[in-house]
Amino acid sequence: MASRGTASGAAMAFLLSLGIIGVARAQLQVGFYSDSCPDAEDTVTAAVQDAAASDPTILPALLRLQFHDCFVRGCDASVLIRSESNDAEVDNGKNQGLRGQDVVDAAKAQLEDQCPGVVSCADIIALAARDAVAMTGGPSFDVPTGRRDGLASNLRDADVLPDAADSISVLRSRFAAAGLDDRDLVLLTAAHTVGTTACFFVKDRLYGFPLPGGGTGSDPSIPAPFLAELKARCPPGDFNTRLPLDRGSGSAFDDSILRNIRSGLAVIASDAALNAGNATRALVDAYLGPAAGSFQGDFAAAMVRMGSIGAITDDDAGEVRDVCSAFNTN
């Protein structure tokens, strides 16, 4: 496992090599709360540890929470807003099953007692995701902070989120729109090394895949033994059974997800799609070969890069919410 210093250095070098777009991103900094709320990061870590002690599955859920926040309007905690009329970002079907909001709320409540009005919900999401990676055996790394919380959250905005059925061309387009490249796509997909998915997100590959000659059936790219295994786990009409995204290694952060993707053993279509693009397939091969030693550091860098998308640092463009689920009223 890379040390925090090593992974952090790799992350910052990666960002510098690709270039940071926008003044707001440049203003994020590691240790932003060192004077204004010195225990902020430790408080978030403790909240994640407490949650994971009773439910270890909350760790990959926190990773998903940051991904879903940052891909919509940028990393501004807009996904945390709740609406009585069910028209907030979180109400979009692409956010189905999203969890971890209660962990962010718990950390926020403690931070409001310690340092009222100082630590943003957007930063708590980023720090919690960072901690979730480390607690599943992934790299420890520093996260630049200083984000403000956004002032809008709309249902249809979340339509831009990548989907489990997306092709490689659609995935590349969605990532490019967020300022991320093929390497980010491969690395952030590798976050599926931990966590599970519901049969709902697999059913179309098993029973409703469009076939070249017309009609529907099973995705022909799935090896026959694995197809039989998936169908046994997800029989027709079963939408709720959960299965590991990383077959055989669903609870530990490692490169097994990339090995499964290369071997045709990806569970969801969007993971399998990495094998369908020359550039992404070459990156998967590299991280299982000559670039294996840089996988964890590069993953940390991709997390930092994703966590900088559309970050708000201007007081006039955002706020520090009193409660993460609602905009301030004053």
Side-chain angles (χ1 to χ4, degrees), residues 129-146:
R130 184 267 317 265
D131 293 335
V133 171
M135 290 179 200
T136 54
S140 234
F141 56 97
D142 289 325
V143 168
T145 46

Side-chain angles (χ1 to χ4, degrees), residues 129-199:
R130 184 267 317 265
D131 293 335
V133 171
M135 290 179 200
T136 54
S140 234
F141 56 97
D142 289 325
V143 168
T145 46
R147 300 165 187 80
R148 313 291 286 183
D149 298 321
L151 304 176
S153 180
N154 303 306
L155 180 88
R156 295 272 64 93
D157 288 345
D159 289 345
V160 301
L161 281 166
D163 189 86
D166 281 347
S167 66
I168 188 61
S169 60
V170 172
L171 287 169
R172 294 182 74 194
S173 175
R174 293 190 193 277
F175 270 67
L180 302 175
D181 64 10
D182 288 339
R183 187 175 300 274
D184 296 314
L185 171 55
V186 169
L187 289 164
L188 294 172
T189 296
H192 289 165
T193 181
V194 290
T196 62
T197 190
C199 287

Side-chain angles (χ1 to χ4, degrees), residues 32-33 36-37 76-77 81 108 111-112 115-124 146-151 312-330:
F32 181 84
Y33 297 110
S36 58
C37 193
D76 65 349
I81 294 295
K108 176 64 173 175
L111 289 167
E112 284 301 297
C115 320
V118 173
V119 182
S120 70
C121 301
D123 277 343
I124 296 173
R147 300 165 187 80
R148 313 291 286 183
D149 298 321
L151 304 176
I312 302 169
T313 58
D314 188 340
D315 289 349
D316 294 332
E319 63 183 7
V320 174
R321 291 183 205 145
D322 298 328
V323 177
C324 290
S325 59
F327 302 118
N328 294 345
T329 55
N330 52 0

Side-chain angles (χ1 to χ4, degrees), residues 1-233:
M1 181 187 305
S3 68
R4 173 167 292 187
T6 300
S8 174
M12 297 314 293
F14 181 82
L15 292 174
L16 290 171
S17 70
L18 291 175
I20 304 303
I21 301 172
V23 175
R25 293 187 181 186
Q27 292 174 345
L28 296 178
Q29 63 185 65
V30 173
F32 181 84
Y33 297 110
S34 58
D35 294 326
S36 58
C37 193
D39 294 328
E41 296 199 18
D42 288 342
T43 298
V44 175
T45 300
V48 175
Q49 289 173 331
D50 287 347
S54 58
D55 178 15
T57 68
I58 200 63
L59 297 175
L62 288 167
L63 272 177
R64 184 185 182 216
L65 184 65
Q66 188 190 23
F67 185 94
H68 281 235
D69 181 42
C70 291
F71 261 73
V72 184
R73 305 188 67 89
C75 308
D76 65 349
S78 53
V79 75
L80 299 180
I81 294 295
R82 300 186 186 108
S83 165
E84 292 183 1
S85 54
N86 297 321
D87 60 357
E89 187 178 310
V90 73
D91 298 306
N92 189 292
K94 289 195 174 184
N95 284 316
Q96 180 179 349
L98 202 66
R99 298 192 299 138
Q101 298 96 319
D102 55 336
V103 181
V104 177
D105 290 341
K108 176 64 173 175
Q110 295 177 53
L111 289 167
E112 284 301 297
D113 286 341
Q114 298 171 21
C115 320
V118 173
V119 182
S120 70
C121 301
D123 277 343
I124 296 173
I125 291 175
L127 292 168
R130 184 267 317 265
D131 293 335
V133 171
M135 290 179 200
T136 54
S140 234
F141 56 97
D142 289 325
V143 168
T145 46
R147 300 165 187 80
R148 313 291 286 183
D149 298 321
L151 304 176
S153 180
N154 303 306
L155 180 88
R156 295 272 64 93
D157 288 345
D159 289 345
V160 301
L161 281 166
D163 189 86
D166 281 347
S167 66
I168 188 61
S169 60
V170 172
L171 287 169
R172 294 182 74 194
S173 175
R174 293 190 193 277
F175 270 67
L180 302 175
D181 64 10
D182 288 339
R183 187 175 300 274
D184 296 314
L185 171 55
V186 169
L187 289 164
L188 294 172
T189 296
H192 289 165
T193 181
V194 290
T196 62
T197 190
C199 287
F200 175 84
F201 295 105
V202 186
K203 63 182 179 63
D204 286 345
R205 288 193 83 197
L206 304 183
Y207 307 107
F209 190 87
L211 299 176
T216 58
S218 301
D219 183 347
S221 71
I222 305 175
F226 187 44
L227 178 62
E229 179 183 322
L230 289 175
K231 285 187 170 183
R233 297 287 301 274

